[in-house]
Amino acid sequence: MSDIFAGRCGKRWSVLALMFWLGAIAGAACAAPIEVTDARGKLITLNAPAERIVALAPHLVENAYSAGAGGKLVAAVSYSDYPPAAQKLPEVGTYKTVSLESVLALKPDLVLAWSSGNGLTAANQLERLGITVYVDEPRTLDDIAREVRTIGLLAGTAQVANKTADAWLARLQKLREAHHSSKAVSVFYQVWNQPLQTLNGEHLVSDVIRLCGGRNAFADAVSLAPKINAESVLGRNPDVIVASGMGEERPEWLDEWKQYPALTAVANNHLFFVPPDIIQRHTLRILDGAELMCQRLDQARAQITVSEHP
């Protein structure tokens, strides 16, 4: 009798296990696809979270790590040097020139591309070859947090991505509250000296300047990164000049402005430097650059106020 009972019980549990297993399969089969809209306004669809990701810009690599998806990256482009683990990724070219053959050989289920860096040619070519491509173009600080969340969604790491983005947005809000009523100062942001280049009001750096209570002296420029001349800078006479350069050291060419002592920024010694990696990369580290930018503008603002009210 006990053997029959045991047999019946064993059969009953087997049926229950089978029902559970079949239900799990049906649930997976009916799981909704992952859908996001990229910078092109294009709907990107994945039937399952991406497991093999290629990122075609250093900031996309960094944002993938921030989203908890760094372990799913199988390749990047040159200068993808942060976090340090990214330096071990195979390279498939530069952000300007991508090897389509190298990308295809890696068999990615998702490629992350940058519109104004890669251009859309590479994205279109990869899509014609059957690769899913998500194209980004962050122009505001809020866009960065949104991108981290999106990558987390595409990679199945949304829990990590959302937690990271929430903490970062809280830090951003504190900066906004600290500077929302600050007196405006005009800022010339210098990307390079030869050719002399700046950024217009649509660039992410302009959003950082606005965050700190500043006003981009070349916000009205037509192109995103226009080449200008010294005469145009003299004509707009900014209160502050902020240079970026190529590395962690203040570029020597910033002091070339001292040959124009009538320039307000020169007269007040408001020639500042912010390392490009923390101000020009579209990543969460931009708030490190923003804090430094705000400090510099606060310093200039205080001196301007004192000179107006001796």
Side-chain angles (χ1 to χ4, degrees):
M1 182 72 176
S2 60
D3 290 341
I4 296 174
F5 180 76
R8 287 178 179 174
C9 287
K11 185 176 182 180
R12 181 182 299 168
W13 281 109
S14 296
V15 170
L16 288 174
L18 179 61
M19 291 176 64
F20 177 82
W21 181 67
L22 289 172
I25 292 176
C30 297
I34 301 168
E35 295 183 340
V36 302
T37 301
D38 71 4
R40 299 170 293 179
K42 184 171 183 175
L43 183 66
I44 307 302
T45 303
L46 292 177
N47 292 325
E51 296 297 333
R52 296 180 61 79
I53 303 173
V54 173
L56 302 184
H59 76 271
L60 287 165
V61 172
E62 188 172 334
N63 288 341
Y65 276 96
S66 295
K72 297 189 176 188
L73 289 170
V74 295
V77 292
S78 57
Y79 298 105
S80 298
D81 54 8
Y82 193 90
Q87 299 173 22
K88 299 178 182 179
L89 291 169
E91 292 184 4
V92 291
T94 71
Y95 73 89
K96 290 184 177 180
T97 306
V98 176
S99 169
L100 299 181
E101 293 79 7
S102 297
V103 174
L104 289 173
L106 292 164
K107 299 180 180 179
D109 42 27
L110 178 65
V111 170
L112 305 175
W114 178 26
S115 179
S116 64
N118 308 134
L120 296 180
T121 300
N124 293 337
Q125 289 174 328
L126 287 168
E127 286 176 330
R128 284 195 293 269
L129 294 168
I131 303 297
T132 300
V133 182
Y134 170 82
V135 177
D136 92 323
E137 187 60 35
R139 293 293 177 87
T140 69
L141 291 164
D142 290 296
D143 285 345
I144 296 175
R146 191 176 302 113
E147 177 171 288
V148 169
R149 293 189 198 277
T150 298
I151 294 175
L153 181 62
L154 291 168
T157 58
Q159 186 173 359
V160 173
N162 290 336
K163 183 178 180 180
T164 300
D166 287 344
W168 188 81
L169 286 171
R171 181 183 170 194
L172 172 60
Q173 183 59 28
K174 288 183 179 179
L175 276 175
R176 282 178 171 152
E177 291 172 355
H179 295 90
H180 76 280
S181 59
S182 297
K183 177 182 173 62
V185 293
S186 62
V187 180
F188 166 52
Y189 184 84
Q190 185 175 356
V191 176
W192 199 244
N193 66 322
Q194 291 182 349
L196 185 57
Q197 190 171 25
T198 187
L199 301 169
N200 76 0
E202 294 183 10
H203 196 280
L204 179 62
V205 170
S206 260
D207 203 33
V208 175
I209 292 172
R210 287 189 293 269
L211 170 69
C212 298
R215 175 176 55 80
N216 184 347
F218 287 87
D220 60 344
V222 176
S223 64
L224 193 64
K227 294 179 177 63
I228 57 175
N229 54 43
E231 288 71 23
S232 61
V233 176
L234 294 172
R236 302 202 178 196
N237 194 23
D239 298 312
V240 173
I241 295 176
V242 177
S244 58
M246 288 292 289
E248 297 297 313
E249 301 298 325
R250 185 181 188 274
E252 294 181 0
W253 45 256
L254 178 57
D255 289 327
E256 292 176 3
W257 291 107
K258 291 181 179 180
Q259 64 184 298
Y260 304 106
L263 198 61
T264 299
V266 174
N268 293 320
N269 197 30
H270 293 163
L271 303 177
F272 302 124
F273 165 65
V274 178
D277 276 3
I278 58 171
I279 191 71
Q280 289 178 190
R281 282 198 184 184
H282 308 56
T283 71
L284 301 184
R285 285 190 297 154
I286 199 170
L287 283 194
D288 296 336
E291 288 178 347
L292 188 54
M293 173 77 78
C294 289
Q295 291 173 15
R296 298 294 186 249
L297 297 197
D298 284 345
Q299 178 182 338
R301 190 177 289 114
Q303 186 173 343
I304 291 170
T305 301
V306 168
S307 64
E308 290 178 349
H309 303 283

